[in-house]
Amino acid sequence: MSKKTHKDFVYARAPLRLSLAGGGTDFPEYFENHDGTVICSVALDFYVHVNVRKLSELYDEKYRLEYYDVEHCDNVSEIKNDIIRGVFTLLSWDIPVHVSVVSDIPSSSGLGSSSTFAVALILALKRFRDGITPSSAELVTMAIEVELDILGRSMGVQDCLPAAYGGLRVFQLKSRSDIENEPVPLAKLEKLTNENCMAMIWTGGQRNSATVLHEQRDRIPECNKSYTLIKQGAMRLRIEMLNSSSADSLLTCLIDVINISQREKKKLSSKVISETSADLMAQLKSMDIEAQRVIGAGNGGFILAASRKPFISRLVEQNFQVLLPKFSHSGAEVRFEE
C-alpha cells in the first residue's frame, strides 16, 4: 500500500437514528434463523462528526485521537477507543493521522452513536487514504464487520443502516450480507412532529448498552414469542408507511406498534427499564399520552412518546427535557476535504 495520502484533511458526518419498529430482532442470531426480519427507522438531523487530518511529522506520536478523551498512540493495539481501534484494524491503518470526533447528542443515549461513529470514521478514512467514497452498502458491511467480528460485540445490525443510507426507510434483513431497503417519503412523519404528536424525552441518564444487549442475545431462544410479536409490529408499520393515505392513519398504527414493542421489550432483559425511565413513563401515562417506548437498548437515554392529541407544551410545563425529532434525508457524507 502506498504511504502517500490523497487528502490532507477530510470532514465527514453520519446521522444518528430513531428506531421506530423492529428493534431487537436485528440480532443475526435471531433473524438469520427466523426467516429474516423488518426494521423501520429514520435518520435524525443530529450527527456524529469526524475530522481526519494528516499528522505533522513534528508530533512524537503516530496517532492523535480526540473524542471525549485524548489519546496519543504509536500502535493500533494501544488504542483504547473501541471503534477507532476496530476501524483501524479493519483498514490495516498505518498512516499518521489526527482524528477528532464530536457528536450532536451525548453518546450512549440509544440513538446508535457507536455504529454511526464507525460509519462516519470508515468514510472519512477511506476518502482520506484512498480517495474513494464507499457506497452505503459497503459502509454497512464494513461497520458490521468492525462491531460484530473485530470487536465481538453482542448487538444487532440495525444502527449502521440509517447512518449509511439516511432518510426514512424499511430494511428487510435476511442475512448479514442480504439486506434490502425501501425508502419511504418523510412528509407524513414530519407532519406528526410538526403537530407535536411525537417527541423524544431525555431520561437524563447515559448507559452502557452492552450488559442489556448481552442478556437479550442470550435469551433469544426463550423469548422467541416476544421477538415474533416485535417483528410482526414492524411488518405492520412497514405496510402502513408504504400505503397509508394520511398522517393520522400512520400515527394510529405507530401508537399501537410502540406499545406492543415496549410491552415485549421489557421481557427481553431485566435491565431494559431504569428506575428513572420507569418514573418518567408512569408520568407520561398519567398525562394520557398514548404510547411510550425506550429507544435503543434501554436502561437510560431517550423515550419515544406519541399521542393523537398534541402534548409537547404540557411536557415542557412539567419540566420534561423534550427533543423534537428532526430528520435527515442524507446518510453518511463527506462535507469538506482539501
Side-chain angles (χ1 to χ4, degrees):
M1 181 184 68
S2 172
K3 293 185 178 181
K4 179 182 178 181
T5 60
H6 289 251
K7 306 292 178 183
D8 289 327
F9 173 77
V10 174
Y11 158 43
R13 72 178 189 181
L16 298 166
R17 66 99 180 99
L18 169 59
S19 178
L20 297 173
T25 68
D26 59 317
F27 281 98
E29 292 86 350
Y30 174 79
F31 70 78
E32 290 187 341
N33 295 297
H34 292 85
D35 298 319
T37 193
V38 170
I39 301 293
C40 303
S41 61
V42 62
L44 296 169
D45 193 28
F46 302 104
Y47 302 87
V48 174
H49 309 264
V50 175
N51 294 319
V52 177
R53 185 183 300 274
K54 183 179 179 180
L55 191 66
S56 168
E57 296 177 357
L58 298 177
Y59 284 97
D60 293 331
E61 68 270 16
K62 189 173 184 178
Y63 307 124
R64 186 178 182 88
L65 313 170
E66 299 179 2
Y67 45 102
Y68 56 81
D69 201 351
V70 178
E71 295 190 56
H72 303 159
C73 305
D74 290 316
N75 299 299
V76 172
S77 60
E78 298 172 349
I79 297 173
K80 297 176 183 177
N81 185 283
D82 288 344
I83 293 298
I84 299 176
R85 188 178 68 255
V87 171
F88 275 22
T89 300
L90 174 79
L91 300 180
S92 300
W93 196 264
D94 66 352
I95 300 172
V97 284
H98 179 180
V99 175
S100 60
V101 186
V102 176
S103 178
D104 292 336
I105 301 291
S107 62
S108 301
S109 56
L111 304 183
S113 58
S114 67
S115 297
T116 302
F117 177 21
V119 168
L121 181 59
I122 291 167
L123 173 58
L125 291 174
K126 290 289 286 183
R127 189 69 191 171
F128 177 88
R129 185 185 69 185
D130 305 326
I132 64 172
T133 301
S135 68
S136 297
E138 289 170 334
L139 287 171
V140 165
T141 297
M142 288 187 282
I144 290 174
E145 183 177 350
V146 167
E147 296 208 84
L148 270 65
D149 298 333
I150 295 175
L151 299 179
R153 291 182 165 179
S154 299
M155 60 182 293
V157 302
Q158 69 153 318
D159 290 352
C160 62
L161 300 173
Y165 285 96
L168 173 61
R169 293 177 183 265
V170 175
F171 296 96
Q172 298 196 62
L173 283 58
K174 299 177 182 179
S175 72
R176 278 179 42 172
S177 59
D178 188 359
I179 300 175
E180 298 177 0
N181 78 90
E182 301 171 282
V184 181
L186 270 165
K188 294 186 181 70
L189 194 64
E190 289 174 329
K191 189 171 188 291
L192 300 184
T193 58
N194 291 339
E195 294 181 350
N196 295 326
C197 293
M198 187 172 78
M200 298 159 59
I201 295 104
W202 178 239
T203 65
Q206 296 166 263
R207 82 288 180 273
N208 184 343
S209 63
T211 54
V212 181
L213 293 171
H214 186 78
E215 183 181 356
Q216 286 187 10
R217 187 188 66 177
D218 288 348
R219 297 185 63 198
I220 286 175
E222 66 186 89
C223 296
N224 184 59
K225 183 177 179 180
S226 291
Y227 280 103
T228 298
L229 290 171
I230 293 171
K231 174 181 171 180
Q232 289 174 347
M235 294 169 68
R236 283 177 52 202
L237 187 60
R238 169 187 176 271
I239 293 171
E240 182 64 35
M241 288 199 304
L242 293 173
N243 301 302
S244 66
S245 58
S246 69
D248 289 342
S249 176
L250 174 60
L251 179 57
T252 298
C253 180
L254 185 61
I255 287 171
D256 192 31
V257 169
I258 287 173
N259 283 331
I260 292 172
S261 178
Q262 177 63 19
R263 183 191 71 205
E264 299 305 322
K265 203 168 188 177
K266 291 190 295 184
K267 301 175 184 178
L268 305 180
S269 169
S270 59
K271 303 178 180 68
V272 167
I273 308 296
S274 68
E275 185 175 340
T276 300
S277 297
D279 290 342
L280 289 174
M281 296 178 85
Q283 292 179 56
L284 293 174
K285 186 174 182 180
S286 71
M287 298 169 68
D288 295 324
I289 295 173
E290 296 175 87
Q292 56 249 238
R293 191 207 71 215
V294 293
I295 300 174
N299 197 31
F302 285 95
I303 295 168
L304 175 63
S307 195
R308 292 176 182 85
K309 293 182 179 180
F311 59 88
I312 307 304
S313 60
R314 288 187 289 149
L315 293 184
V316 173
E317 289 171 1
Q318 296 295 321
N319 295 318
F320 282 82
Q321 291 183 280
V322 181
L323 182 65
L324 294 180
K326 297 183 293 180
F327 307 117
S328 173
H329 294 263
S330 301
E333 57 185 347
V334 173
R335 299 286 288 179
F336 180 79
E337 62 185 26
E338 61 182 17

